[in-house]
Amino acid sequence: MSLPAIIKKLRHLNEPVPNPRRLPTEAEVDAAEQALDCHFHADYRYFLLHGSDVSYGAVEPAVVTPGAGHVDLVQMAQLAWDLGVPDDLLPFCGSNSDYYCLGQDGSVVYWSHDGQTEDGWTDLAEWIEEVWIDEQDFEEEEDEEA
């Protein structure tokens, strides 16, 4: 599925939250690139500008809007790199000192605090569908059966 199509699907699943996020401006995305001294893959830039305001389930990808707290991309990436994530990977979603990271080619890998794992996805769209959407759907089905 294409990234625009999967973001449309994700947006349909958006859950109401007390303090919803907003999409960043181009300038805020540019500022994050400058702060991290890197250029985001086109898919990630598209996600930030068109889907990073979505709240769905327990997955919380990093954002580049001010006041993001624990999901601030710059802080998350710097912490992850300090913990040993290779600097050619961009950590964009964290969970208990483990990170989903973007490679320079747009692929996504899972990095565990024990080291990089074999888990990977060809691109961000596949990661959004398989990890963010499908795993959440599976957890909801399990809760309904219990």
Side-chain angles (χ1 to χ4, degrees):
M1 188 175 289
S2 72
L3 186 57
I6 199 68
I7 287 176
K8 183 177 180 181
K9 181 177 179 180
L10 185 63
R11 186 161 296 291
H12 178 73
L13 297 168
N14 190 37
E15 299 169 336
V17 294
N19 296 310
R21 294 193 181 106
R22 67 169 175 81
L23 292 172
T25 64
E26 291 270 354
E28 288 168 331
V29 175
D30 293 343
E33 284 181 318
Q34 187 173 25
L36 294 169
D37 193 28
C38 69
H39 290 285
F40 299 148
H41 187 274
D43 285 355
Y44 188 57
R45 187 174 190 85
Y46 185 90
F47 168 75
L48 288 172
L49 292 168
H50 299 279
S52 63
D53 62 334
V54 172
S55 293
Y56 178 62
V59 174
E60 291 185 287
V63 297
V64 297
T65 50
H70 72 283
V71 291
D72 178 87
L73 177 64
V74 173
Q75 292 177 14
M76 181 184 293
Q78 290 171 338
L79 174 62
W81 291 327
D82 287 347
L83 292 173
V85 172
D87 61 6
D88 63 332
L89 297 175
L90 177 64
F92 71 92
C93 187
S95 175
N96 298 323
S97 298
D98 297 334
Y99 296 92
Y100 293 99
C101 306
L102 279 164
Q104 294 175 350
D105 62 355
S107 64
V108 177
V109 297
Y110 181 71
W111 186 89
S112 169
H113 61 275
D114 295 328
Q116 187 170 331
T117 68
E118 298 297 317
D119 295 339
W121 299 264
T122 57
D123 57 27
L124 190 56
E126 183 179 71
W127 178 85
I128 290 171
E129 186 167 34
E130 292 183 9
V131 175
W132 197 352
I133 295 174
D134 289 352
E135 284 187 18
Q136 179 64 31
D137 287 347
F138 180 75
E139 288 174 15
E140 287 175 2
E141 288 173 13
E142 282 187 335
D143 290 345
E144 288 173 6
E145 292 173 4

